[in-house]
Amino acid sequence: MSSNINSLDPYIKKSSVFHLLDSRIKLLITIGFIVTTALLPVGSWAAFILLVAIVISVTMVTDIGVVYVIKRSLFVLPFVLAAVPLLFTVPGTVLFSMTINASHINVTAQGVERFITILLRSWISVQAAIVLISTTKFPDLLAALRSLKIPKLFVNIMGLMWRYLFVLTDEALRLIRARLARSGYSEQVKRSGGKLAWRAKVTGNMAGSLLIRSLDRSERVYFAMVARGYDGEVRSVPATALTLNSWIILLASCTLFCFILLFGWYTTTL
Amino acid sequence: MVFSPVLLHIPDGFLSLPVAIGFWIVSTLLISLAIKNVALSLDDRKVPLMGILSAAIFAAQMLNFAIAGGTSGHLIGAALATIILGPWDAIIVMASVVTVQALIFQDGGLIVMGANLFNMSIISVFVANWTFITFKKILGQNRNALFIAGFAAAWLSVFVSALAAALELAVSGTSPANIAIPAMAGVHALIGLGEGGITVGALGVLYAVRRDILSGEANQTRSNKTLWFGGLATVLLLLVVSPFASQFPDGLEWVAEKQQFLHLQRPALFEIIPDYVFPGIANEVAATIIAGIIGIILVMLVALGVALLRKKRETISTK
């Protein structure tokens, strides 16, 4: 069980052009891409297809596996439930109607359009985010956040969090394994343990002991840091200036996004 | 992704851009305020403490218990963090949990992260803090008071942040308010019970083993009057606005009607407009499909070109 926790780190080591790109540029391009997706009008199918094509081709270039990215992107699917009512509530041309329990429900063309647009937007955005995180080491991403003026304290805390994420998820998995080991399970009852409130309480006790272990660990970590010269200041290598190449790539992507937006609005508003 | 308390992490695409940007601004301001407050009282062991507690909250969200029919309850942790750390620190800890979840596990989108930060790290902490103090004031200092206050804080913080998420979805026109608000409220009233149960269990262990944490310095910042009123205002606002808003089937439509920009809505693409002309092709659907195919081919060609170039470079460098 605990062996699979290493797969928590989504970074996939390859040597593609996209991996080598400056993490600041990658972050900005990804955000630009997602903003573009959000700015496209409802029903601009051609532009959305173009965006899908771009994400998939970038995935191909990065060598992290198109199937992997698509599989991972499907984890947003449950949230789609939130948008399902749109199919029935947006007024417009009725595509077909159903009768459930003697009440009429109309599915409208506009509703379908809006629903699919939301689906596409979130699917494309998630893929972009997956490509970003699969090709960028998290510390590099933190450095990029730092140079985008995110407060130092916040970035430092996330850095430490990242460092101990694996240690503490392992700790949590050990707690779960221990509970599994001491819980009986029978085919007749189909569940182990006592009543619902009791099970919640046991889980809570586990969370409590996880927190206590973490507090103790943070003491030890603090002393280890002090022993190595920590004085309340987390120092890191100063960021290098962006190369001309990076600027060109950034500019080119922004231009591309503007063109896609123009294309999207042009093809749908006419 | 795998361990997420779903439904509260809004993905990209589900909020309209103005809503997303608005919440980015609000969240940035409030989190900066929290950072300023924490930095004022910063002793140098706080950075490792908060970093590791963020990781611990993240890990604690993996702990779950079976409810029924394959569903399981698990912790979100805002109330627990608030009780242990005090509100300002808890905001930062929850904010880093939400940020890492969005960046690494795509639990919640990037441009809607402002809204997710607002729901899960600001509202939930404000509400948990307010509830916890108020209940403790009324009930006193004994063990049961602690548990009841903890349960109430956990339940209400989950419930109110779910209301906030539902309202955001409704205002964005993603989910009709009269469906989203009751649905989110109903589901999270139940999820809140699980959260409350786990929080009480955790407080039980902390009370038995490390009582010093529960009565420590976190109490000093907690009794801040402004914060108390802030929490009260959040609770009241969302509890009052939500039933009101859920009378309107579609938040966006309603707002649009008020603002008189309904004319911006276009006719559906399915009604083929006869005079539409794409260079050479008179049928809009065909034009769209062709444009799409051309786009795909172009982009694929570029991608293949880059891939080939790289292959060539690799073979040269291995020679």
Side-chain angles (χ1 to χ4, degrees):
Chain A
M1 206 161 173
S2 70
S3 64
N4 66 7
I5 211 62
N6 291 326
S7 62
L8 261 185
D9 186 356
Y11 178 70
I12 298 173
K13 198 175 169 226
K14 294 274 163 140
S15 58
S16 78
V17 197
F18 207 72
H19 280 76
L20 299 175
L21 209 61
D22 193 297
S23 57
R24 286 167 286 183
I25 299 293
K26 257 190 281 191
L27 181 64
L28 286 177
I29 291 179
T30 311
I31 291 172
F33 184 84
I34 298 176
V35 170
T36 308
T37 329
L39 280 174
L40 279 173
V42 172
S44 49
W45 310 126
F48 280 126
I49 293 173
L50 204 61
L51 290 181
V52 174
I54 291 175
V55 157
I56 292 181
S57 9
V58 169
T59 314
M60 281 164 62
V61 170
T62 57
D63 225 9
I64 54 177
V66 177
V67 178
Y68 165 78
V69 172
I70 290 178
K71 250 191 207 156
R72 227 187 131 139
S73 68
L74 295 183
F75 281 105
V76 270
L77 271 185
F79 208 88
V80 166
L81 258 173
V84 167
L86 280 182
L87 291 174
F88 317 106
T89 56
V90 179
T93 329
V94 176
L95 276 187
F96 57 89
S97 52
M98 297 179 282
T99 316
I100 300 172
N101 292 336
S103 61
H104 266 294
I105 296 178
N106 294 330
V107 177
T108 61
Q110 279 82 352
V112 173
E113 237 189 352
R114 207 143 105 192
F115 177 72
I116 296 178
T117 303
I118 287 174
L119 219 67
L120 277 173
R121 275 192 192 140
S122 78
W123 186 56
I124 294 169
S125 310
V126 164
Q127 288 192 63
I130 294 172
V131 170
L132 171 71
I133 198 65
S134 305
T135 58
T136 316
K137 287 181 192 146
F138 193 63
D140 293 348
L141 199 60
L142 285 180
L145 287 179
R146 180 75 201 100
S147 55
L148 294 177
K149 303 281 175 257
I150 306 282
K152 202 171 182 181
L153 180 71
F154 192 46
V155 176
N156 287 342
I157 288 172
M158 281 198 288
L160 267 152
M161 173 185 175
W162 173 249
R163 223 169 244 227
Y164 288 95
L165 201 60
F166 306 97
V167 181
L168 293 180
T169 37
D170 268 343
E171 194 95 67
L173 285 176
R174 277 197 289 277
L175 285 164
I176 292 175
R177 197 160 48 219
R179 180 182 60 181
L180 216 60
R182 61 177 191 264
S183 308
Y185 178 85
S186 87
E187 281 299 319
Q188 277 85 40
V189 186
K190 289 285 182 203
R191 59 171 173 74
S192 53
K195 292 216 174 69
L196 198 58
W198 182 82
R199 289 206 294 277
K201 198 189 113 203
V202 168
T203 314
N205 292 344
M206 286 157 69
S209 61
L210 182 67
L211 282 175
I212 289 173
R213 289 181 202 186
S214 313
L215 289 169
D216 292 345
R217 190 184 291 274
S218 86
E219 288 280 298
R220 294 199 298 277
V221 168
Y222 169 70
F223 288 126
M225 282 164 78
V226 168
R228 287 163 180 78
Y230 173 70
D231 58 355
E233 187 82 4
V234 178
R235 293 177 181 80
S236 51
V237 185
T240 50
L242 286 174
T243 59
L244 182 65
N245 253 339
S246 310
W247 279 112
I248 292 174
I249 291 171
L250 186 62
L251 213 67
S253 330
C254 290
T255 324
L256 176 68
F257 296 153
C258 290
F259 274 123
I260 292 175
L261 278 178
L262 282 177
F263 174 70
W265 280 96
Y266 175 76
T267 50
T268 38
T269 45
L270 269 181
Chain B
M1 188 176 73
V2 195
F3 327 115
S4 76
V6 279
L7 286 175
L8 277 181
H9 298 255
I10 302 172
D12 276 327
F14 281 79
L15 292 186
S16 66
L17 203 60
V19 174
I21 291 173
F23 278 105
W24 258 120
I25 295 170
V26 174
S27 297
T28 310
L29 286 177
L30 286 169
I31 292 173
S32 320
L33 190 67
I35 288 176
K36 205 174 261 169
N37 271 297
V38 170
L40 278 182
S41 64
L42 194 64
D43 84 65
D44 55 358
R45 64 182 70 199
K46 268 229 174 124
V47 171
L49 173 71
M50 290 167 79
I52 287 172
L53 271 182
S54 307
I57 296 280
F58 178 92
Q61 293 185 349
M62 296 168 70
L63 305 173
N64 60 351
F65 64 97
I67 294 178
T71 55
S72 61
H74 45 167
L75 188 74
I76 298 169
L80 207 50
T82 313
I83 294 167
I84 297 174
L85 289 166
W88 295 120
D89 297 35
I91 286 180
I92 296 176
V93 163
M94 289 311 289
S96 46
V97 172
V98 171
T99 309
V100 166
Q101 278 172 334
L103 283 175
I104 297 179
F105 306 102
Q106 288 79 49
D107 251 344
L110 296 182
I111 58 168
V112 300
M113 204 161 90
N116 283 330
L117 284 171
F118 186 71
N119 302 340
M120 283 181 285
S121 71
I122 296 170
I123 283 200
S124 54
V125 168
F126 270 11
V127 171
N129 185 55
W130 175 80
T131 322
F132 190 71
I133 308 171
T134 311
F135 270 77
K136 287 270 280 190
K137 277 247 167 71
I138 297 169
L139 296 171
Q141 291 297 324
N142 57 34
R143 181 166 170 272
N144 284 332
L146 172 75
F147 292 166
I148 295 171
F151 186 90
W155 186 84
L156 201 65
S157 73
V158 170
F159 187 72
V160 173
S161 41
L163 287 182
L167 274 172
E168 286 152 17
L169 287 169
V171 172
S172 300
T174 304
S175 224
N178 62 348
I179 298 175
I181 293 174
M184 287 286 268
V187 170
H188 285 85
L190 292 178
I191 291 180
L193 292 181
E195 174 88 3
I198 299 180
T199 304
V200 169
L203 287 176
V205 171
L206 289 172
Y207 188 81
V209 185
R210 290 284 300 269
R211 209 165 299 178
D212 58 310
I213 300 170
L214 296 174
S215 54
E217 56 169 325
N219 278 323
Q220 290 166 11
T221 49
R222 197 180 288 136
S223 51
N224 186 322
K225 275 239 165 66
T226 330
L227 264 176
W228 188 85
F229 281 113
L232 177 65
T234 317
V235 174
L236 283 181
L237 194 69
L238 280 159
L239 289 184
V240 169
V241 163
S242 303
F244 175 72
S246 60
Q247 291 169 1
F248 298 95
D250 192 321
L252 184 71
E253 225 83 339
W254 183 68
V255 173
E257 216 159 351
K258 286 269 157 191
Q259 305 286 327
Q260 303 268 306
F261 58 74
L262 260 184
H263 63 273
L264 275 178
Q265 280 211 324
R266 303 159 308 95
L269 247 186
F270 298 104
E271 303 161 21
I272 297 163
I273 306 159
D275 59 342
Y276 180 87
V277 182
F278 193 81
I281 306 151
N283 183 316
E284 190 186 359
V285 176
T288 307
I289 293 170
I290 288 172
I293 292 173
I294 293 173
I296 292 180
I297 292 173
L298 274 179
V299 180
M300 290 287 181
L301 279 179
V302 173
L304 276 177
V306 176
L308 280 179
L309 268 180
R310 197 194 53 191
K311 270 244 166 77
K312 216 179 225 170
R313 205 166 25 179
E314 270 169 15
T315 44
I316 289 169
S317 59
T318 47
K319 264 175 194 171

